[in-house]
Amino acid sequence: MCYTYDTGRMIALYFENIFISGVRAAFSDAVFTLYRIDVEINKDDENVQCIYHSHFYYEIHVVLEGSALYMIQGNTVSVSGGMMMIIPPHIEHYPFQENAVYRAIVLGLTLEQKEPESDAYQYFLSTLCGVVNKPIALSPDLLSDIINFYSSFQSTETRKIFFRQAAAYSIIYKLFDSINHFHISSSSPETIQEDQNRDISLELLINEWQYSLQDIAKELGYSTRHTSRLIRQKYGKSLREIRQKNMVSTVKKLLIQSPPLSLEAITIQSGFTSMDAMVRAFKKYENKTPTEYRKIMESK
């Protein structure tokens, strides 16, 4: 049984042996809810067993000390202190080995799309799809924010409620800022600071779906032709190909979600304008239709 209530900006849900409480943070049409998760389990009880389970939210494991191994859909992932891992909704997993000094906290994260629609939701969803189920190094600043956010739920004072709200926005901002820097190519010692800033700006702008090639060129202070050549030189693809390939990658992840999503829902969530466009792009990069891909993955 699950009960839920919403008092102002505070959301709480009750499950058997689980207490989840959180606050909302909105960025344009993307609405996050960041939860603190407490599980009441007596680990000395011989009847307690780790079993495969899944959730309706993104589950964020933040390892403070030691290390642990997680089983996620048959794959083993190791996460050590100062790192975190984001497990997507409806993906079965369980921790099966923790060392003696292991200490961690668990957060939940949901992402909803609200009107009026913009590209923010798609940007956040695509970014999350690219980093799930893998260890992510945390900056000391972000780690401190997560710890403070988690511990703030121990108090019901008004000032703590406002702190939680501000902390939720800060964590979301810093988390996605960190994620967007994961794949920036390292520069040679001779690279000047201007080039480093250009690379960072280019990486960020490519992931901003509302920016056209002309918009990116304007932001960088280059001509459209030079910007196009720069993108192809750095990534080996055109801007359209990069974004289309990222959208196909999102489709692949959505196709294996359980319960299964319809192709119509996958088309919308992956950012394609029509199902026909989605199928054509998928077949171009994967040499099979989405339906064929789903059947292959289900048979494994």
Side-chain angles (χ1 to χ4, degrees):
M1 180 68 69
C2 168
Y3 303 92
T4 178
Y5 69 88
D6 187 339
T7 56
R9 293 183 178 275
M10 183 75 173
I11 304 100
L13 299 97
Y14 294 92
F15 298 85
E16 184 179 0
N17 298 325
I18 301 178
F19 176 72
I20 305 176
S21 51
V23 292
R24 291 192 174 101
F27 297 82
S28 188
D29 67 333
V31 181
F32 292 94
T33 305
L34 189 63
Y35 300 97
R36 166 181 169 142
I37 300 175
D38 293 294
V39 183
E40 297 178 0
I41 293 179
N42 179 6
K43 290 191 174 183
D44 294 328
D45 187 345
E46 295 181 355
N47 294 320
V48 173
Q49 296 179 342
C50 286
I51 60 173
Y52 267 121
H53 63 285
S54 63
H55 309 284
F56 68 89
Y57 47 81
Y58 290 89
E59 188 173 75
I60 304 175
H61 289 255
V62 181
V63 179
L64 306 178
E65 190 178 3
S67 63
L69 294 177
Y70 293 84
M71 183 66 71
I72 304 174
Q73 289 190 318
N75 297 317
T76 302
V77 181
S78 175
V79 186
S80 55
M83 306 185 81
M84 76 178 201
M85 180 173 61
I86 303 175
I87 302 171
H90 313 301
I91 296 298
E92 293 189 338
H93 62 278
Y94 75 94
F96 68 93
Q97 184 175 329
E98 303 166 355
N99 67 9
V101 296
Y102 174 78
R103 190 165 60 92
I105 58 178
V106 181
L107 300 176
L109 184 72
T110 59
L111 174 59
E112 304 170 85
Q113 186 175 32
K114 300 295 184 182
E115 295 182 352
E117 295 186 2
S118 73
D119 291 328
Y121 172 81
Q122 179 58 47
Y123 161 73
F124 285 120
L125 178 65
S126 298
T127 304
L128 279 173
C129 284
V131 297
V132 294
N133 299 337
K134 63 183 69 173
I136 301 171
L138 295 172
S139 68
D141 194 26
L142 177 54
L143 182 58
S144 176
D145 277 1
I146 290 173
I147 293 171
N148 290 334
F149 173 82
Y150 191 83
S151 62
S152 71
F153 286 94
Q154 296 174 356
S155 171
T156 58
E157 296 178 18
T158 300
R159 65 185 184 91
K160 286 293 187 181
I161 294 175
F162 281 103
F163 171 82
R164 285 194 292 269
Q165 187 68 45
Y169 276 95
S170 179
I171 289 170
I172 297 299
Y173 170 79
K174 291 176 182 176
L175 171 62
F176 282 89
D177 184 53
S178 297
I179 288 173
N180 280 328
H181 287 73
F182 284 166
H183 306 298
I184 294 175
S185 301
S186 59
S187 301
S188 65
E190 295 80 18
T191 303
I192 60 175
Q193 185 65 41
E194 183 179 348
D195 289 336
Q196 292 178 329
N197 292 338
R198 180 208 65 187
D199 286 346
I200 292 172
S201 297
L202 180 60
E203 186 86 18
L204 294 174
L205 291 169
I206 281 177
N207 289 315
E208 292 287 350
W209 302 100
Q210 72 272 24
Y211 276 75
S212 66
L213 179 62
Q214 291 75 16
D215 293 329
I216 295 174
K218 184 177 179 180
E219 289 288 332
L220 296 177
Y222 296 144
S223 68
T224 302
R225 184 175 181 180
H226 179 73
T227 303
S228 177
R229 187 164 53 245
L230 185 66
I231 292 173
R232 188 170 289 279
Q233 179 183 352
K234 183 176 175 63
Y235 300 98
K237 304 180 185 70
S238 68
L239 177 63
R240 182 178 180 276
E241 289 172 328
I242 292 169
R243 288 178 170 172
Q244 193 174 69
K245 186 71 183 321
N246 288 341
M247 291 160 67
V248 169
S249 295
T250 302
V251 171
K252 289 175 66 177
K253 292 178 172 64
L254 295 174
L255 282 169
I256 60 174
Q257 281 197 10
S258 178
L261 297 174
S262 68
L263 292 183
E264 290 85 354
I266 291 174
T267 298
I268 295 171
Q269 293 189 35
S270 59
F272 283 97
T273 56
S274 70
M275 191 187 302
D276 286 343
M278 184 268 286
V279 172
R280 284 197 304 271
F282 194 92
K283 194 168 184 179
K284 173 184 175 182
Y285 289 103
E286 300 297 325
N287 295 318
K288 56 182 70 69
T289 67
T291 301
E292 291 169 342
Y293 178 84
R294 174 178 271 169
K295 288 180 179 178
I296 291 171
M297 298 305 294
E298 288 175 346
S299 65
K300 290 186 176 180

